[in-house]
C-alpha cells in the first residue's frame, strides 16, 4: 500500500469518525433540550455549578499532582517545578471549566426560554414530552386504539402450528384421540363406588 493510499484511507476514517461524533453531539444536545424555561433554569444552574466545582477541583488537584510527580523525579527542585506547572495547568483548566459551565448554563436557560411557547401549546394539541428524546411527541389515541383492537387476545395466531406440533409429539404411538362420551351412567357408578371405598 502506498503512502498516498494510506492517507486517503485515513482521511475517510477521520471523516467517518467526525460524522459519528457529530451524531453523538446532536443526540446529547437533543436529550438535554429543556422542556420549558423552568427546566432550562434548573439545567443551567446545574451546568454552572458543575463547571464551578470542576474548576475548584482542578485548581486544587493539578498543583498537588504536579508537586507529587515532580518531587518523585527531581526532589525539591522537581517538586517546585511540578507545583508551578500544576498551578498553571490548574489555573487554565479551572478557567476553562468555569467558563464552559457558565456558557452551557446560559445556553440552557436561553433554550428553555425559546421552548416555553411550544410547552404551553403542545399539550393542548395532544402532544406529550418525551424525556429520552427531548422533544414533543404527538399522541394519536384513535390510531393507537385501532392498533390495539387489531392485536389478538391470545397467542394462538403466533403459536397455532407450534401447539399442534407439540400435541402430536406428546401422544404415544397408537394412542386414540379422545372421543365424546354419550352416556355418563357407567362413569357415575364407578365414581359412586370409589367414594364409598374412600369412606
Amino acid at each position: 500500500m502506498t503512502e498516498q493510499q494510506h492517507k486517503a484511507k485515513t482521511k475517510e476514517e477521520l471523516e467517518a469518525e467526525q460524522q459519528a461524533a457529530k451524531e453523538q453531539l446532536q443526540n446529547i444536545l437533543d436529550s438535554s433540550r429543556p422542556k420549558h424555561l423552568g427546566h432550562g433554569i434548573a439545567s443551567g444552574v446545574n451546568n454552572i455549578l458543575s463547571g464551578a466545582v470542576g474548576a475548584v477541583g482542578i485548581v486544587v488537584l493539578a498543583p498537588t499532582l504536579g508537586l507529587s510527580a515532580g518531587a518523585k523525579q527531581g526532589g525539591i527542585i522537581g517538586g517546585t517545578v511540578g507545583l508551578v506547572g500544576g498551578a498553571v495547568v490548574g489555573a487554565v483548566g479551572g478557567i476553562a471549566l468555569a467558563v464552559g459551565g457558565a456558557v452551557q448554563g446560559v445556553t440552557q436557560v436561553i433554550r428553555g426560554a425559546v421552548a416555553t411557547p411550544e410547552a404551553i401549546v403542545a399539550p393542548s394539541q395532544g402532544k406529550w414530552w418525551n424525556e429520552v428524546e427531548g422533544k414533543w411527541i404527538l399522541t394519536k389515541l384513535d390510531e393507537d386504539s385501532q392498533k390495539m383492537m387489531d392485536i389478538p387476545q391470545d397467542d394462538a395466531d403466533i403459536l397455532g402450528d407450534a401447539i399442534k406440533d407439540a400435541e402430536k409429539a406428546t401422544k404415544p404411538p397408537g394412542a386414540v384421540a379422545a372421543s365424546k362420551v354419550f352416556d355418563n351412567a357407567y362413569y357415575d357408578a364407578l365414581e359412586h363406588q370409589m367414594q364409598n371405598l374412600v369412606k
Side-chain angles (χ1 to χ4, degrees):
M1 183 185 298
T2 65
E3 190 172 321
Q4 207 170 29
Q5 288 173 333
H6 181 69
K7 285 182 181 178
K9 184 178 178 186
T10 304
K11 183 179 178 183
E12 291 170 357
E13 290 174 351
L14 288 174
E15 288 175 357
E17 288 176 8
Q18 279 183 328
Q19 184 61 32
K22 285 179 184 177
E23 289 172 3
Q24 288 175 348
L25 177 62
Q26 188 60 43
N27 288 340
I28 290 169
L29 291 175
D30 286 344
S31 67
S32 66
R33 179 179 166 216
K35 180 179 179 180
H36 50 67
L37 182 60
H39 282 179
I41 290 172
S43 177
V45 168
N46 184 29
N47 286 336
I48 292 169
L49 290 176
S50 296
V53 169
V56 169
I58 199 166
V59 165
V60 171
L61 197 58
T64 306
L65 292 175
L67 174 65
S68 175
K72 284 182 183 176
Q73 292 181 354
I76 293 176
I77 296 174
T80 305
V81 170
L83 179 65
V84 171
V88 170
V89 168
V92 171
I95 290 170
L97 282 173
V99 169
V103 168
Q104 284 181 334
V106 170
T107 301
Q108 285 297 86
V109 171
I110 292 170
R111 290 174 77 192
V114 169
T116 298
E118 186 178 10
I120 293 170
V121 174
S124 66
Q125 296 173 337
K127 295 180 180 179
W128 60 276
W129 180 254
N130 185 329
E131 294 284 341
V132 175
E133 296 181 21
K135 63 181 182 180
W136 290 97
I137 305 291
L138 180 62
T139 304
K140 299 177 182 176
L141 294 178
D142 293 338
E143 290 178 17
D144 292 344
S145 174
Q146 185 58 41
K147 287 178 186 175
M148 294 301 288
M149 294 296 219
D150 294 341
I151 296 174
Q153 295 293 329
D154 57 18
D155 293 331
D157 62 320
I158 300 170
L159 301 175
D161 292 337
I163 292 171
K164 289 177 186 173
D165 292 342
E167 287 174 354
K168 287 179 186 175
T170 57
K171 289 182 184 174
V176 180
S179 59
K180 188 173 183 178
V181 176
F182 291 104
D183 187 9
N184 289 337
Y186 292 114
Y187 292 106
D188 293 339
L190 287 173
E191 184 178 332
H192 181 67
Q193 287 180 358
M194 292 300 289
Q195 287 177 354
N196 288 337
L197 287 174
V198 172
K199 290 180 183 178

